[in-house]
């Protein structure tokens, strides 16, 4: 967790590569990759249906374009609903990515080693989890269902305004660039800008969420969102909440362009069929 300090993005990339080779960049990705289709389908489905319901309720026509206020409400509701599936996925990903942390004796007790009397043992190369399924079962056994949603409150703070800054810029830029509703939207300027704006502004809440999710049951460091924010600020200053901003901005470009283009092409396909 906080034991690993990187001065900048390049230092982080080089450190991970030297210690874990190229495979270190893909640690914990199997579960997100397996669930990303379901997650994105749910997110875009909720966003589209919420817009349709709002237009039908307010204007009596589900196909009428939403106003800026309507888009804001639909986006924020989408962000709130996304936490239901996104929180467990993120928690598993982060726990698997933290496999290089020191293994404490308390964790060995959970594995059935109850006769050990040593207080702690440093085993940096040991793995707490064998994979996503083992991680989920371990969290359920030690922390219960609520353990899978640790950090969900911070995720709400990230995704509710984050999705508003995700969908609204895209929709406005897309409408400006493609006034003809039958034309294919431009994914580059629309999706890239929407994704980058969203991820950059969501970075502070993402930092808090990630720190809380990285907290294991028996190594708990933060008592809640407020305690995490205050502790992080007192120990590392305000700049800690903007760590990873450049990485998030770079990630937002291709990822958002791909998702929005697929979304728009799917809508056009089903509307024409």
């Amino acid at each position: 967790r906080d034991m690993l300090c990187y001065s900048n993005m390049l230092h982080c990339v080089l450190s991970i590569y030297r210690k874990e080779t190229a495979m270190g960049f893909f640690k914990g990705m199997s579960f997100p990759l397996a669930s990303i289709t379901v997650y994105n389908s749910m997110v875009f489905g909720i966003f589209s249906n919420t817009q349709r319901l709002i237009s039908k309720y307010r204007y009596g026509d589900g196909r009428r374009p939403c106003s800026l206020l309507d888009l804001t409400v639909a986006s924020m509701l989408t962000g709130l609903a996304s936490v239901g599936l996104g929180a467990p996925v993120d928690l598993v990903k982060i726990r698997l990515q933290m496999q290089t942390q020191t293994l404490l004796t308390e964790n060995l007790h959970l594995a059935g080693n109850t006769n050990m009397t040593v207080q702690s043992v440093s085993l940096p190369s040991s793995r707490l989890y064998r994979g996503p399924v083992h991680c989920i079962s371990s969290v359920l056994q030690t922390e219960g269902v609520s353990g899978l949603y640790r950090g969900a409150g911070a995720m709400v703070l990230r995704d509710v305004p984050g999705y508003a800054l995700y969908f609204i810029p895209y929709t406005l830029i897309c409408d400006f660039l493609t006034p003809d509703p039958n034309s294919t939207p431009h994914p580059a300027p629309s999706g890239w800008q929407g994704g980058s704006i969203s991820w950059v502004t969501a970075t502070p809440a993402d930092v808090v969420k990630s720190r809380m999710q990285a907290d294991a049951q028996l190594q708990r460091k933060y008592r809640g969102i407020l305690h995490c924010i205050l502790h992080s600020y007192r120990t590392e200053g305000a700049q800690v909440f903007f760590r990873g901003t450049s990485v998030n901005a770079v990630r937002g470009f291709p990822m958002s362009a791909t998702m929005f283009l697929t979304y728009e092409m799917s809508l056009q396909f089903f509307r024409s069929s």
Side-chain angles (χ1 to χ4, degrees), residues 219-235:
Q219 303 174 40
R220 190 133 297 174
K221 185 175 181 178
Y222 308 115
R223 296 190 296 270
I225 298 175
L226 183 60
H227 180 242
C228 179
I229 294 172
L230 293 176
H231 183 275
S232 299
Y233 176 76
R234 288 167 182 166
T235 56

Side-chain angles (χ1 to χ4, degrees), residues 5-237:
C5 295
Y6 307 111
S7 55
N8 51 51
M9 182 172 64
L10 180 60
H11 180 225
C12 178
V13 171
L14 294 176
S15 298
I16 292 174
Y17 180 76
R18 287 168 183 164
K19 294 177 182 178
E20 306 176 57
T21 72
M23 294 304 296
F25 298 108
F26 300 95
K27 186 183 293 182
M29 288 305 298
S30 58
F31 190 50
L33 284 174
S35 58
I36 192 169
T37 302
V38 176
Y39 178 79
N40 286 334
S41 298
M42 180 194 74
V43 166
F44 283 98
I46 292 174
F47 180 63
S48 297
N49 288 316
T50 303
Q51 287 185 91
R52 191 176 298 112
L53 287 173
I54 291 175
S55 293
K56 189 174 182 178
Y57 175 77
R58 294 192 65 188
Y59 313 112
D61 182 6
R63 290 182 173 270
R64 175 171 174 167
C66 286
S67 65
L68 182 60
L69 177 61
D70 299 334
L71 282 174
T72 303
V73 173
S75 301
M76 295 179 73
L77 288 175
T78 300
L80 182 63
S82 70
V83 176
L85 178 61
V89 172
D90 265 19
L91 182 133
V92 172
K93 179 190 71 175
I94 288 173
R95 292 284 176 92
L96 291 176
Q97 288 174 337
M98 300 305 297
Q99 294 281 31
T100 54
Q101 64 182 325
T102 302
L103 180 65
L104 299 182
T105 300
E106 291 97 329
N107 298 116
L108 297 178
H109 281 293
L110 294 177
N113 243 330
T114 55
N115 295 323
M116 293 190 66
T117 56
V118 184
Q119 291 303 310
S120 65
V121 56
S122 180
L123 294 172
S125 62
S126 299
R127 290 181 175 272
L128 298 177
Y129 311 112
R130 295 189 295 272
V133 176
H134 181 239
C135 179
I136 293 173
S137 63
S138 297
V139 172
L140 288 174
Q141 289 174 11
T142 58
E143 304 175 55
V145 176
S146 61
L148 290 176
Y149 288 90
R150 179 161 176 79
M155 196 170 185
V156 169
L157 295 179
R158 183 195 75 175
D159 286 357
V160 170
Y163 271 104
L165 293 172
Y166 188 61
F167 285 112
I168 293 175
Y170 172 79
T171 303
L172 295 178
I173 295 171
C174 194
D175 289 343
F176 176 77
L177 294 176
T178 55
D180 182 5
N182 296 318
S183 61
T184 303
H186 297 273
S190 308
W192 290 11
Q193 290 188 35
S196 296
I197 292 171
S198 172
W199 274 109
V200 167
T201 54
T203 297
D206 188 58
V207 169
V208 176
K209 174 201 71 72
S210 298
R211 291 190 168 209
M212 293 188 65
Q213 289 180 328
D215 253 356
Q217 172 75 20
L218 297 174
Q219 303 174 40
R220 190 133 297 174
K221 185 175 181 178
Y222 308 115
R223 296 190 296 270
I225 298 175
L226 183 60
H227 180 242
C228 179
I229 294 172
L230 293 176
H231 183 275
S232 299
Y233 176 76
R234 288 167 182 166
T235 56
E236 301 173 70

Side-chain angles (χ1 to χ4, degrees), residues 48 52 262-272:
S48 297
R52 191 176 298 112
T262 304
Y263 167 67
E264 291 290 350
M265 292 180 69
S266 300
L267 284 181
Q268 288 189 357
F269 173 78
F270 287 112
R271 285 169 181 170
S272 61

